[in-house]
Amino acid sequence: MNTLSYGLLSFLSRSSCSGYDLMLQIQPFWPAKHSQIYPLLAQLEKDEYVQYEHISQSDKPDKKVYSLTDKGIEALREWLSEPASDPVMRDDLYLKVFCMSLVDSNTARNLFINRLQHYQQKKLKFDNKLPQLQCMTGLPPDEIPSFDSPFFGAYLLLQKAISVNDANIKWCEWALEQIASPAAEKRDSVE
Amino acid sequence: MNTLSYGLLSFLSRSSCSGYDLMLQIQPFWPAKHSQIYPLLAQLEKDEYVQYEHISQSDKPDKKVYSLTDKGIEALREWLSEPASDPVMRDDLYLKVFCMSLVDSNTARNLFINRLQHYQQKKLKFDNKLPQLQCMTGLPPDEIPSFDSPFFGAYLLLQKAISVNDANIKWCEWALEQIASPAAEKRDSVE
DNA sequence: GGAGGCATGTAACACGTTACATGATTTG
DNA sequence: CAAATCATGTAACGTGTTACATGCCTCC
């Protein structure tokens, strides 16, 4: 039982769904391809953490809809009682920043301009998801779902994603201010 | 040439050092064990991106001090001209949050209490490193190193780490407010 | 008619961790 | 006297990505 296996059980605790569906849902939280997920689901089924029902579809390919067994729920409960492991972040921008002085400031600036765009695109996505989530809760706007709400977890994680992303946007903008472009320097001295 | 290989070259661009040293330095930015680093260094040396000098030591074991070749520097320059890849984050807390409703609020709170402690420990480390870095630059306090300074990159990354970590601390504290503990509820109703 | 989505699976490869192996020196 | 640090390396294993494989349906 590795972390991804628990992740799959975790999403199945919210609603039964297919391996394909799980793959799409888990992406933002624990990147994984279908080639990794399908064999794990088969193993989880063999070990009786999940069970599946074969669903015939006419318009789309048939699918296996997985759901948690009691053993699966118990496994999740035990997993939740252990503290979370330290998060792991891998970002090659960190590594590039360390040797940035090897290139001119325009090349260095481009690294931050590209990354800033990345964070801004993420911001757009989050800004769309927030009212969407609010709507699903059925609560009046600006009211926070409670611990019992099935949307509580998603709400917490969206808030985290937004605040960290905003910090990253500010960081990129600040970094770009620190790296004056040669063009800007020329402009400054002319003006 | 994978990302870790470029990472090793990147750190060598700052100063020549041993594989052991590289392992220690690269940890916070791209977690890697010595068992992964030593073979990569051997490959980089074979491909002439780096070269090494055997240094005999009396008090400690001998070591190989690696340094960049011209080919290595050129490889770094090309790598820097390409945009950074999307960062990858893996955090099992995200997955646990999705199935939190399976356990009582105290068990859920513990997840955030543990994680909060983790972020607070990181904050202490960062708060120590900042004046240390300031000192190394030789600049007056609160002055920001410029793009040309060898400490510019480290300064940028430390600022990012601090701001993201602070956002995470606030998030944990806010989440804990949202998850009222049963004990707190009892207290509230008694008072 | 081609592209993309739905849906499942396997095989080969790349990347990362744990364990095995050695051995001197320093610190508690 | 045990544990930690410095220092290097290999082997086995676990995890993650890319590519191979199939097939139907819908939208442009």
Side-chain angles (χ1 to χ4, degrees):
Chain A
M1 287 291 288
N2 58 19
T3 308
L4 180 54
S5 299
Y6 282 111
L8 297 173
L9 297 185
S10 188
F11 277 89
L12 287 175
S13 80
R14 291 163 54 82
S15 66
S16 300
C17 56
S18 66
Y20 187 83
D21 233 18
L22 279 171
M23 186 244 320
L24 295 178
Q25 283 186 59
I26 212 167
Q27 289 305 327
F29 308 99
W30 194 280
K33 316 281 172 178
H34 72 272
S35 56
Q36 198 179 4
I37 289 171
Y38 289 126
L40 282 181
L41 279 172
Q43 189 61 46
L44 288 171
E45 196 261 342
K46 205 181 118 197
D47 296 342
E48 296 180 305
Y49 293 104
V50 299
Q51 58 195 64
Y52 72 86
E53 208 186 334
H54 192 94
I55 304 288
S56 297
Q57 298 184 119
S58 49
D59 52 334
K60 297 181 216 170
D62 294 358
K63 63 179 175 181
K64 293 179 176 177
V65 170
Y66 286 88
S67 54
L68 285 184
T69 63
D70 289 345
K71 189 181 170 188
I73 291 170
E74 211 31 62
L76 275 180
R77 288 220 174 93
E78 273 173 44
W79 181 58
L80 282 165
S81 69
E82 292 159 26
S85 317
D86 290 354
V88 173
M89 173 77 146
R90 278 184 225 264
D91 187 348
D92 59 2
L93 184 59
Y94 295 168
L95 305 174
K96 291 195 180 196
V97 164
F98 270 110
C99 58
M100 238 177 7
S101 58
L102 288 178
V103 292
D104 61 286
S105 58
N106 265 330
T107 307
R109 283 175 64 83
N110 280 334
L111 291 171
F112 289 95
I113 289 168
N114 287 325
R115 181 51 69 86
L116 180 57
Q117 283 167 359
H118 170 256
Y119 289 138
Q120 281 166 342
Q121 276 168 24
K122 277 181 81 176
K123 190 176 174 60
L124 287 178
K125 278 186 199 165
F126 296 148
D127 287 351
N128 277 330
K129 254 185 197 169
L130 193 58
Q132 203 181 314
L133 230 178
Q134 274 292 351
C135 181
M136 284 195 289
T137 60
L139 290 168
D142 298 333
E143 196 151 321
I144 296 168
S146 72
F147 179 63
D148 315 302
S149 163
F151 302 101
F152 182 65
Y155 185 78
L156 284 190
L157 292 174
L158 187 53
Q159 288 298 338
K160 178 178 153 91
I162 288 171
S163 71
V164 169
N165 198 64
D166 284 349
N168 282 325
I169 286 175
K170 275 183 197 152
W171 177 70
C172 282
E173 288 168 344
W174 172 77
L176 284 167
E177 280 169 35
Q178 303 308 315
I179 313 170
S181 64
E185 279 162 31
K186 267 183 214 163
R187 254 205 321 282
D188 288 352
S189 56
V190 168
E191 280 168 357
Chain B
M1 287 289 288
N2 57 21
T3 309
L4 180 53
S5 299
Y6 282 111
L8 296 172
L9 296 186
S10 188
F11 278 89
L12 286 175
S13 81
R14 292 164 53 84
S15 67
S16 301
C17 57
S18 67
Y20 186 83
D21 232 18
L22 280 170
M23 187 244 321
L24 294 178
Q25 284 186 56
I26 211 167
Q27 289 303 329
F29 307 100
W30 194 279
K33 316 280 171 180
H34 72 273
S35 55
Q36 198 179 3
I37 289 171
Y38 289 127
L40 282 181
L41 279 173
Q43 188 61 45
L44 288 170
E45 196 262 341
K46 204 181 120 197
D47 296 343
E48 297 180 306
Y49 293 104
V50 299
Q51 59 194 64
Y52 73 84
E53 207 186 336
H54 192 96
I55 304 289
S56 296
Q57 298 183 120
S58 50
D59 51 335
K60 297 181 216 174
D62 295 359
K63 63 179 176 181
K64 293 179 178 179
V65 170
Y66 286 87
S67 54
L68 284 184
T69 62
D70 289 345
K71 190 182 170 188
I73 291 170
E74 208 34 60
L76 274 180
R77 289 220 173 94
E78 274 173 44
W79 181 59
L80 282 166
S81 69
E82 291 159 26
S85 316
D86 290 354
V88 173
M89 172 78 147
R90 280 185 223 264
D91 186 349
D92 58 2
L93 185 60
Y94 295 168
L95 305 175
K96 292 196 181 196
V97 165
F98 271 110
C99 58
M100 239 178 7
S101 58
L102 289 178
V103 291
D104 62 285
S105 59
N106 264 331
T107 307
R109 284 175 64 83
N110 279 335
L111 291 171
F112 290 94
I113 290 168
N114 286 325
R115 181 52 69 86
L116 180 58
Q117 283 168 358
H118 170 257
Y119 289 136
Q120 281 166 342
Q121 275 168 25
K122 278 181 82 177
K123 189 176 174 62
L124 286 179
K125 277 188 201 163
F126 296 148
D127 287 350
N128 277 331
K129 253 186 198 167
L130 193 57
Q132 202 182 316
L133 230 179
Q134 274 292 350
C135 180
M136 283 196 289
T137 61
L139 290 168
D142 300 332
E143 196 150 323
I144 296 168
S146 73
F147 179 64
D148 316 301
S149 163
F151 303 101
F152 182 65
Y155 186 77
L156 284 190
L157 292 174
L158 186 54
Q159 288 298 337
K160 178 177 153 91
I162 288 171
S163 70
V164 168
N165 197 64
D166 284 349
N168 281 326
I169 286 175
K170 276 182 196 151
W171 177 71
C172 283
E173 288 169 343
W174 171 78
L176 283 167
E177 281 169 33
Q178 301 308 314
I179 314 172
S181 65
E185 279 161 31
K186 268 183 215 164
R187 255 204 323 281
D188 288 353
S189 56
V190 167
E191 280 167 357

